[in-house]
Amino acid sequence: MNPTFLILAAGLGTRMKSKLAKVLHRAGGLSLVEHVVRAALGVTPAHKIIVVIGHQADHVKATLEPYGVRFALQAEPKGTGHAVLCCRETAGQEDGPVVVAYGDCPLLTTATFRALIDQQIASGKAAALITTRLPDPTGYGRVVLDANGDIAAIVEHKAATPEQLHIDLINSGIYCFGSELLWKHIVEIVPNAASGELYLTDMPEILARAGHRVAPYDLKDSTELLGINTRVELAGADRSLRDRKTRELMLGGVTIEKPETVIVDPDVQIGNDTVIEAFARILGASRLASDCRIGSCSIVSNSELAAAVHIEPFTHIESCVVEAGAHIGPFARLRMNARVGRDAYIGNFVELKKTYLGAEAKASHLAYLGDAQIGENANIGAGTITCNYDGVKKHPTTIGKNAFVGSNSTLVAPVQVGDGAYIAAGSVITDPVPPEALALGRSRQVVKEGWVAKRRAKQGK
Ligand code: UD1
Ligand code: CA
């Protein structure tokens, strides 16, 4: 039976000191709550996941709607127990285990969720709760065990006696309940004396009082359980998540230099024998094939690179496609669906916007190529500019295959340059250039012999 997941994401996140709801802060390339949803999706289908929203509900909902999960509204953040209670209408009828997870625990994995559920089902107990031992348990709820090793109670840090503060076994906030007992007993939570909130952490004691047992599921590696309350913890989670992704890539055959400096988003795919140099960032839904090289400090975002593409350092590529064997950079910028053909060459300080550069074409230095279609094997000289914008509209430039555009040419769009045509250096091209023609669009050079001597004589020097 598929488990139901309740993911609590309605809280304010006061300790973040932020305008943005805590669960929307990003670590490892996603918002915190997205990580939890993704891990849950490894165990159960989207319609079995209910996210409790409240603070900035619309924003949280918009972030998670693409996953197809359901939502329950907690209009006021009256505590984690109250948040679960808000799901009773939506989830109360469903049987099977109910997993409760907090939206601020982004490191949890599918495997851990599955192990927790398996243990709860196998034990036949009312619930299982992930616990771990921390050298510094400050801030976490402390888990009090009974003589059988079951959970007798959870004591929040603030409410703990000096003696209980010494307990290093903590509440992760990840529970798996049998559905019936959860919905039967959740109504017994009473407001906390100090805060007035309903604490979900009261449930083990309530269940124990009713004669049921709650088992600890002790996780030896506590890194997965990090709950994010401050931006210091956010940075820690980011580090762990980035590390997880680069490790997975390296084990899959990708070389990453100084991986601690490299940022790769979770959905990025990279083929084997590709080399990622230090300080590179590969973002969004980028897909890199085998044998590529991404130069140091380059950024590749939502782009597709075919095999053996070589990106030199300090290059920025966003929403583009690069075909096999192409060479780009250093210091190049490609954006807005630019496409670079097979074995094409783009050198330093070249910008491509919504432009197709054909196979084996070259733009080796200092050019702006916008809204242009450039044929294969064309040569774009240094300093070439497509003047694609007249102040109101954008206009296209077409350059045929094997064309040769001399340095410092200005192509005033809309304009076409035919196959194999030549453009003289320094030209301003406003009219179509037929195939195989030479176009000169500049004034003729004038040389005045002896001009300096004449001027000197005039000035009497
Ligand atoms: C909670 C636990 C604590 C545990 C720790 C683990 C309680 C009372 N305490 O403390 O035992 O050690 O997590 O990380 O449960 N939320 C709501 N609605 C609310 C309140 C909170 O949806 O009314 C959500 C928050 O958005 C957050 C999560 O629940 O994602 C946890 O809330 P938080 O305030 O961070 O709890 P902690 O103080 O960390
Ligand atoms: Ca927390």
Side-chain angles (χ1 to χ4, degrees), residues 26-238:
R26 293 173 80 82
L30 296 169
S31 61
L32 298 179
V33 67
E34 272 180 283
H35 286 285
V36 185
V37 167
R38 282 174 175 230
L41 280 169
V43 189
T44 207
H47 71 270
K48 296 284 280 182
I49 299 174
I50 298 166
V51 181
V52 184
I53 53 176
H55 182 56
Q56 296 181 0
D58 291 346
H59 197 162
V60 179
K61 197 172 174 189
T63 304
L64 296 178
E65 236 153 19
Y67 293 94
V69 297
R70 292 192 287 161
F71 299 94
L73 186 69
Q74 184 191 22
E76 267 182 89
K78 292 193 269 187
T80 47
H82 179 252
V84 171
L85 206 52
C86 291
C87 299
R88 205 152 75 124
E89 290 267 298
T90 329
Q93 308 307 318
E94 296 172 26
D95 38 34
V98 180
V99 177
V100 179
Y102 294 165
D104 65 350
C105 295
L107 294 167
L108 269 164
T109 60
T110 291
T112 300
F113 276 140
R114 193 167 281 140
L116 171 71
I117 295 163
D118 288 348
Q119 156 157 340
Q120 193 272 328
I121 293 171
S123 72
K125 294 181 185 175
L129 159 65
I130 302 182
T131 58
T132 195
R133 291 187 191 278
L134 291 183
D136 177 14
T138 308
Y140 287 92
R142 308 299 207 280
V143 176
V144 183
L145 299 177
D146 67 15
N148 301 318
D150 287 322
I151 299 175
I154 299 171
V155 188
E156 285 306 294
H157 181 100
K158 280 182 201 155
T161 62
E163 216 164 67
Q164 286 167 329
L165 284 176
H166 284 115
I167 300 175
D168 63 352
L169 191 67
I170 63 104
N171 169 28
S172 68
I174 317 300
Y175 319 71
C176 180
F177 294 97
S179 161
E180 227 182 279
L181 289 176
L182 171 66
W183 300 123
K184 182 175 170 201
H185 290 285
I186 185 112
V187 289
E188 294 165 31
I189 300 179
V190 294
N192 179 273
S195 69
E197 291 187 358
L198 301 182
Y199 287 170
L200 184 62
T201 44
D202 288 353
M203 276 304 279
E205 205 177 331
I206 291 171
L207 288 167
R209 227 188 291 130
H212 302 289
R213 298 167 72 183
V214 178
Y217 173 67
D218 202 35
L219 210 60
K220 293 280 169 283
D221 177 8
S222 57
T223 45
E224 268 192 49
L225 302 179
L226 179 70
I228 310 306
N229 297 319
T230 68
R231 299 199 201 217
V232 174
E233 288 158 346
L234 185 72
D238 185 66

Side-chain angles (χ1 to χ4, degrees), residues 289-314:
S290 299
D291 302 309
C292 293
R293 177 174 279 269
I294 307 300
S296 188
C297 301
S298 285
I299 302 173
V300 176
S301 174
N302 289 312
S303 293
E304 217 170 291
L305 274 51
V309 165
H310 194 143
I311 309 290
E312 298 271 13
F314 299 98

